[in-house]
Amino acid sequence: MCGASLERCTTSGASEHMMADKKELTSMEHLKARSRYLRGNLAEDMADPMTGGVSEDSTQLLKFHGMYLQDDRDLRPERAKKMLEKAFGFMIRIRLPGGVITPKQWLALDDVARTYAGETLRLTTRQTFQMHGVLKFNVKTALKAINAVALDTIAACGDDNRGVMSVANPHQSKIHAEAYELACRTSAHFKPQTHAYYEIFLDGEKVAGEGERDDVEPIYGKTYLPRKFKIGFAVPPSNDIDVFAQDLGFIAIVGKEDKIEGWNVSVGGGMGMTHGEPETYPRTGDVLGFCRPEDLMAVAEAVMTIQRDWGDRTNRKHARLKYTLDDRGAEAFRAEIAKRAGKPLDKARPYTFTSNGDRYGWTQGDNGKHHLTLFIENGRLRDFAGGHKLLTGMRRIAEVHEGEIRITPNQNLIIANVADDKRAEIERLATEHGLNGRAGALRRNAMACVALPTCGLALAESERYLPSLITRLEERLAAHGLAEKDITLRMTGCPNGCARPYIAEIGLVGKGPGRYNLYLGAAHDGSRLSKLYAEELDDAGIVAALDPIFAGYAANRQNDEHFGDFCIRAGYVAKTVNGLDFHENVRVPTTASG
């Protein structure tokens, strides 16, 4: 199905498909077309003193500028009783390819968080920062402070190329550094060209260090992409970026002389779905072939423009690249990549992934510098009352650190490029502020989305609930001698999948208040989807459902067998081959609560 609309029906036969397609475009497509390159009425709505929110159209356009309008859902009942509008606040997300930030930039974001965003920073599963609860009349001031240290929020959300992911520590080797540099180049190449962000939020100022632009979108056009688009660069054997969850993933193929010979190209990953609608599903990407380094950008642009022209603009639930690939088929997609990139993909090269987690503690890179990976539970940095002062601890580290700080795809931090004479000081500050405390294996391998109280899509708790659930699950694992066995667990408050739960060995997805669907059987390295095991479990039901499986795993696992593989071999769930059979062969579809 072709979604090329309003302007874009000129590439690769898209016009014929559009003429044959009589379905109505979504309202979002019309909004983008008339928005004057993402301006709409945003300037007027942001200046309106009569409300803390903005119009529905402006709410949608804000996403392209890296912001969501949210409200504190904990306060909704009380405010409704008093006939007050919702307690609106804006979520601001930074565009940060590869998750790399300087100490100076960290201190600037810390200032913004302390002044405007509830004294907390949230590390995301896509290697960047979110700040929640920024009041409308503080948004411009916050964005100007962000701009002053050469950062921005452009395209951190919306129907465009969102934050580009890369290996967590590019200083580990020259290969990792090359992957990071490509992530930066890719982010810059696909960054929207409109002046709207600068005009509306920076009073016409340019981002520090950038040149003039014309209001034209040579890649996107006036209607941008049908839906979000995500890119990532992985270096085996670590799949820390979850490359198969990306719309477009590049897997480094390293030759004998430790040089990148090229990249395998994975297309069609994506996590989101909708409960009760089996035509929606998560999907892992298909490796369609291999490209040389000099051809990578042409291949990336080919894949993105195919999605621009072929993606479904009549149904946003069917608009991601994963559906385009399944509708058209891999062969048609591969042929179109060759046509647009100017040469065909070569046959995919062999590679091996072994995990998708982080290495905690100190490591040393090829350059002789040291790197300290810190576990940050669910990516939440704040000064906890009566507990650890994580936000202050990171500020103290940033004040003395001379290297960089890196966000991992698992919501953790790396204090990177630490010189020999700084290592002891960094260690001391981390210890004093509770930043390098030990966590059990399950907790180290767990992630949660924000969910309540700020996410408007959340059906259940996630970040606020997962820590206590892990404590109970850790007790059961310890009882079976599995306390230090690495098992990935991820939780989301809704089925959209921001924490990538469908490629976790244990996935918990909110179904309603206090109720979760339980998914099992994903690969430990993130290469295979899970399968539904039980529906609408409460807290006791989750523990009761998993405890006997833990017991079976302890008693009957094979040598080096991961938990997800065991769940399939032992018959708890069927193996999911890919998205189209995600909802098939579900053996326990009925409710199993505690």
Side-chain angles (χ1 to χ4, degrees):
M1 182 181 297
C2 174
S5 64
L6 304 171
E7 165 187 49
R8 269 286 167 204
C9 297
T10 58
T11 305
S12 303
S15 57
E16 289 108 356
H17 291 291
M18 189 61 196
M19 291 176 67
D21 187 353
K22 303 298 184 182
K23 290 184 179 180
E24 176 62 31
L25 296 169
T26 65
S27 60
M28 188 65 187
E29 293 304 313
H30 291 286
L31 172 60
K32 288 183 286 187
R34 67 174 184 267
S35 71
R36 298 173 295 118
Y37 292 103
L38 309 179
R39 289 173 175 83
N41 294 321
L42 265 172
E44 295 82 0
D45 280 357
M46 291 299 294
D48 182 359
M50 300 305 293
T51 175
V54 294
S55 68
E56 178 58 29
D57 282 358
S58 289
T59 297
Q60 297 304 318
L61 293 177
L62 272 171
K63 297 176 184 179
F64 292 82
H65 303 295
M67 287 167 278
Y68 277 76
L69 175 64
Q70 300 178 330
D71 75 284
D72 188 333
R73 292 174 60 180
D74 288 346
L75 301 179
R76 279 186 187 178
E78 178 185 350
R79 293 182 70 85
K81 189 182 299 184
K82 295 178 179 179
M83 301 187 71
L84 298 171
E85 74 171 4
K86 295 176 182 177
F88 289 118
F90 289 74
M91 183 275 283
I92 295 175
R93 182 183 294 159
I94 306 298
R95 181 174 67 96
L96 196 67
V100 178
I101 192 168
T102 68
K104 179 180 177 181
Q105 290 170 328
W106 182 284
L107 291 172
L109 294 184
D110 179 271
D111 287 340
V112 171
R114 291 176 186 274
T115 307
Y116 305 116
E119 301 183 278
T120 179
L121 282 170
R122 181 56 151 69
L123 312 177
T124 80
T125 59
R126 293 196 64 79
Q127 295 180 285
T128 190
F129 297 90
Q130 288 183 181
M131 291 175 276
H132 294 260
V134 181
L135 298 180
K136 183 169 79 171
F137 306 110
N138 290 329
V139 167
K140 288 179 66 172
T141 305
L143 293 181
K144 287 180 179 180
I146 291 166
N147 174 71
V149 289
L151 294 173
D152 63 59
T153 67
I154 299 169
C157 321
D159 298 346
D160 44 37
N161 176 51
R162 297 195 178 186
V164 181
M165 299 179 73
S166 179
V167 288
N169 189 358
H171 290 291
Q172 186 173 335
S173 72
K174 292 180 180 179
I175 295 166
H176 295 76
E178 185 174 340
Y180 168 66
E181 291 301 323
L182 277 171
C184 292
R185 284 177 50 202
T186 304
S187 178
H189 186 72
F190 293 121
K191 181 181 177 181
Q193 299 295 294
T194 174
H195 286 86
Y197 177 86
Y198 311 105
E199 294 172 9
I200 297 167
F201 300 107
L202 302 179
D203 296 329
E205 299 173 21
K206 295 178 294 183
V207 171
E210 297 200 357
E212 295 290 346
R213 293 195 179 91
D214 295 322
D215 247 358
V216 63
E217 295 287 8
I219 295 175
Y220 291 114
K222 289 183 178 179
T223 51
Y224 295 83
L225 299 179
R227 283 278 285 172
K228 68 182 81 169
F229 194 93
K230 299 178 178 181
I231 300 176
F233 292 83
V235 177
S238 174
N239 186 23
D240 56 352
I241 70 156
D242 283 328
V243 69
F244 301 111
Q246 315 290 330
D247 292 88
L248 174 59
F250 291 101
I251 303 166
I253 303 300
V254 181
K256 295 180 180 179
E257 298 181 0
D258 284 339
K259 292 183 178 179
I260 295 180
E261 294 182 348
W263 301 82
N264 279 356
V265 182
S266 172
V267 175
M271 291 289 98
M273 69 170 197
T274 303
H275 286 313
E277 298 184 20
E279 65 274 17
T280 68
Y281 47 83
R283 191 185 192 281
T284 49
D286 294 342
V287 178
L288 297 186
F290 168 89
C291 72
R292 297 286 179 182
E294 61 269 23
D295 300 321
L296 184 143
M297 204 60 68
V299 169
E301 187 164 326
V303 173
M304 181 177 285
T305 58
I306 291 170
Q307 170 61 0
R308 178 197 68 197
D309 297 334
W310 289 7
D312 188 351
R313 295 179 184 261
T314 69
N315 178 3
R316 289 184 66 80
K317 291 184 179 181
H318 188 255
R320 288 291 297 275
L321 176 59
K322 59 185 176 180
Y323 301 117
T324 307
L325 182 59
D326 281 339
D327 289 347
R328 296 298 189 109
E331 288 307 313
F333 211 96
R334 192 180 284 112
E336 190 66 16
I337 291 174
K339 181 178 179 180
R340 299 191 186 209
K343 63 170 64 174
L345 295 173
D346 293 334
K347 183 179 179 181
R349 305 282 184 90
Y351 62 92
T352 300
F353 286 126
T354 57
S355 72
N356 60 358
D358 292 333
R359 295 171 59 192
Y360 296 98
W362 287 100
T363 58
Q364 191 169 19
D366 285 354
N367 61 0
K369 297 291 183 69
H370 305 279
H371 317 294
L372 175 61
T373 302
L374 303 173
F375 170 69
I376 309 296
E377 189 163 23
N378 298 323
R380 179 62 65 184
L381 284 163
R382 69 187 316 157
D383 290 348
F384 292 91
H388 296 310
K389 309 299 183 185
L390 305 184
L391 191 63
T392 294
M394 279 306 304
R395 183 174 185 87
R396 297 291 173 261
I397 288 173
E399 288 171 344
V400 301
H401 183 39
E402 297 171 352
E404 299 87 28
I405 301 167
R406 309 187 180 279
I407 305 172
T408 81
N410 291 287
Q411 301 175 302
N412 297 311
L413 286 174
I414 300 174
I415 313 303
N417 264 2
V418 179
D420 288 338
D421 60 355
K422 285 287 185 179
R423 176 169 168 162
E425 184 176 16
I426 298 296
E427 176 82 24
R428 176 181 60 79
L429 289 169
T431 301
E432 286 178 359
H433 295 88
L435 283 161
N436 61 353
R438 286 187 54 81
L442 187 65
R443 200 175 298 272
R444 292 195 307 266
N445 288 281
M447 291 200 297
C449 69
V450 175
L452 296 169
T454 54
C455 179
L457 300 176
L459 303 173
E461 294 281 0
S462 185
E463 178 190 336
R464 298 194 296 192
Y465 165 52
L466 183 58
S468 61
L469 174 64
I470 287 178
T471 298
R472 287 183 285 283
L473 293 177
E474 283 178 329
E475 293 172 355
R476 302 317 310 146
L477 286 167
H480 300 298
L482 299 170
E484 288 305 310
K485 190 68 177 175
D486 286 323
I487 299 172
T488 58
L489 184 159
R490 295 173 182 175
M491 174 180 282
T492 56
C494 81
N496 287 294
C498 292
R500 303 188 287 275
Y502 309 112
I503 49 174
E505 293 175 287
I506 300 172
L508 290 161
V509 178
K511 190 74 179 291
R515 299 276 168 167
Y516 300 83
N517 285 359
L518 172 61
Y519 295 84
L520 300 173
H524 185 72
D525 65 1
S527 62
R528 181 183 64 241
L529 292 167
S530 57
K531 185 77 73 180
L532 179 65
Y533 176 71
E535 291 187 284
E536 299 203 40
L537 296 172
D538 60 13
D539 181 82
I542 293 169
V543 178
L546 286 170
D547 188 45
I549 305 176
F550 291 157
Y553 180 54
N556 302 311
R557 71 185 184 277
Q558 297 176 349
N559 289 339
D560 300 322
E561 185 176 31
H562 288 293
F563 182 74
D565 299 330
F566 169 79
C567 287
I568 294 171
R569 184 177 63 81
Y572 291 104
V573 290
K575 182 178 180 179
T576 297
V577 177
N578 214 323
L580 288 171
D581 78 332
F582 179 76
H583 298 293
E584 302 297 324
N585 301 313
V586 175
R587 297 172 181 171
V588 190
T590 56
T591 300
S593 80

